[in-house]
Amino acid sequence: MMYVVEKISDCKATLAALRHDGDTNKRVGFVPTMGYLHAGHASLIERARAQNEVVVVSIFVNPLQFGPNEDLDKYPRDLQSDLALCERLGVDIVFTPTVATMYGQEPTVLTRVHVDRLGEHLCGASRPIHFDGVCTVCAKLFAIVSPNYAYFGKKDAQQWRILRQMVQDLSFDLEIVPCPIIREEDGLALSSRNAYLSPKERHTALILHDTLVSLEQKVLVHREFDASRLIAQAVEQIDRAPGVRLDYLSIVDDRTLSPIDRIEPEKDVLIAIAAYVGTTRLIDNVEIRVER
Ligand code: PAF
């Protein structure tokens, strides 16, 4: 049986009933989402289902993480199909709070959670309030659900790293589980925002993955380690492509998320890209490590 709950108190009470089994506490796996679920979300839910006795999914389009000129109003929604997917995947509780439930009648929440440094580059540079919004809503959701494990897609490379830091810094008793990016056959990373793309834009969007694959090959196969040069060459190519406007393409230290000039052997590195295809902003990334 799947419970769909809208109120925080109902979510807590339903969870308490499912979690406690005599003297033992069942493991709770949590997948926070903004809905419009696709195969990427399904892979997170399946992982949570495999590793926990109780699985909770939240569906909440969080206004705090959208900038004034972003797509909050047109963000795609389809609750019925989301619930059908959750039911098929054996989710126990779907938490679907309203904005008023989470933040009061008019947004009255006065607390923001901010993680220093890790949000300075990549998406944080072009979406200044975004990660404070993500951290604030996730802190609140973690407090409501108290999961043992919380599952996040690696497509949002900066998001899960920032949340892992928040969990450590604020002593949340849970583990952030980053999960592989799920792609279409031609390489396009799955995203709810792919729904905005026209067929022509859908084709143009492949440039994100193609750029990453080409950079990965240059580093791992051709052993080109001059990060600034690699980026400059790739940016020149993207700038020549019609219908794409690059937001950033960066090679960063996997841990600090700060840009690096040179790729060193045996250091984890993240190559991350964000670009507008038409008016749709898409992101993708690849993690690499050069062996000696
Ligand atoms: O990745 C998302 O969908 C959102 O940023 C999250 C983690 C659900 C917070 O609103």
Side-chain angles (χ1 to χ4, degrees), residues 1-291:
M1 151 132 199
M2 183 173 90
Y3 298 88
V4 181
V5 291
E6 206 183 287
K7 286 197 192 134
I8 293 173
S9 53
D10 288 344
C11 185
K12 286 185 173 176
T14 313
L15 246 166
L18 294 184
R19 189 193 308 261
H20 302 299
D21 184 13
D23 282 347
T24 54
N25 265 352
K26 292 181 178 165
R27 269 178 312 226
V28 175
F30 178 42
V31 183
T33 80
M34 296 206 301
Y36 213 68
L37 306 180
H38 50 65
H41 298 106
S43 73
L44 305 180
I45 297 172
E46 279 162 356
R47 178 95 179 257
R49 187 67 284 169
Q51 296 181 333
N52 301 275
E53 288 83 36
V54 180
V55 174
V56 183
V57 171
S58 64
I59 297 177
F60 178 62
V61 180
N62 172 35
L64 289 193
Q65 69 190 72
F66 288 79
N69 298 316
E70 294 185 352
D71 56 344
L72 173 62
D73 291 338
K74 68 167 189 165
Y75 197 83
R77 294 164 204 243
D78 188 346
L79 184 61
Q80 284 324 308
S81 125
D82 291 347
L83 294 179
L85 179 74
C86 288
E87 183 125 49
R88 250 196 337 272
L89 296 175
V91 171
D92 297 294
I93 301 178
V94 185
F95 179 43
T96 59
T98 62
V99 175
T101 302
M102 288 295 274
Y103 298 132
Q105 274 311 326
E106 23 180 287
T108 47
V109 66
L110 299 182
T111 302
R112 291 286 185 281
V113 181
H114 172 78
V115 173
D116 253 352
R117 289 200 214 152
L118 294 179
E120 279 170 10
H121 302 287
L122 308 178
C123 291
S126 38
R127 305 185 71 190
I129 56 130
H130 176 66
F131 289 115
D132 289 2
V134 169
C135 287
T136 303
V137 80
C138 285
K140 204 166 159 81
L141 290 167
F142 292 165
I144 295 165
V145 176
S146 298
N148 299 85
Y149 299 97
Y151 298 81
F152 293 87
K154 282 191 176 184
K155 182 170 74 66
D156 297 292
Q158 197 169 13
Q159 170 169 277
W160 75 260
R161 287 171 172 84
I162 288 178
L163 289 170
R164 180 178 60 180
Q165 185 73 41
M166 177 189 86
V167 161
Q168 184 184 318
D169 293 352
L170 297 184
S171 305
F172 278 103
D173 205 2
L174 66 97
E175 192 182 312
I176 299 286
V177 185
C179 301
I181 299 176
I182 305 296
R183 300 180 179 282
E184 305 271 12
E185 246 172 54
D186 58 9
L188 183 69
L190 294 194
S191 162
S192 303
R193 290 190 168 98
N194 291 352
Y196 300 145
L197 301 171
S198 69
K200 190 168 167 209
E201 290 171 340
R202 163 71 184 71
H203 183 73
T204 306
L206 290 177
I207 196 164
L208 279 86
H209 180 242
D210 292 350
T211 302
L212 294 173
V213 171
S214 147
L215 282 168
E216 184 179 25
Q217 283 220 336
K218 285 185 177 172
V219 177
L220 296 182
V221 181
H222 304 291
R223 298 184 71 82
E224 292 179 35
F225 297 152
D226 183 338
S228 315
R229 210 178 116 161
L230 285 165
I231 293 294
Q233 287 168 346
V235 168
E236 210 183 297
Q237 276 196 3
I238 296 168
D239 284 347
R240 279 204 301 267
V244 187
R245 185 164 54 85
L246 186 66
D247 181 359
Y248 65 75
L249 173 64
S250 299
I251 302 184
V252 299
D253 179 301
D254 187 274
R255 219 174 21 86
T256 63
L257 300 183
S258 298
I260 54 174
D261 288 330
R262 203 173 162 75
I263 298 166
E264 305 289 348
E266 288 171 13
K267 291 244 166 78
D268 293 323
V269 161
L270 179 75
I271 310 179
I273 186 168
Y276 289 89
V277 177
T279 53
T280 305
R281 186 176 180 280
L282 299 174
I283 59 174
D284 201 349
N285 68 86
V286 62
E287 294 168 354
I288 58 170
R289 182 185 177 92
V290 175
E291 299 307 332

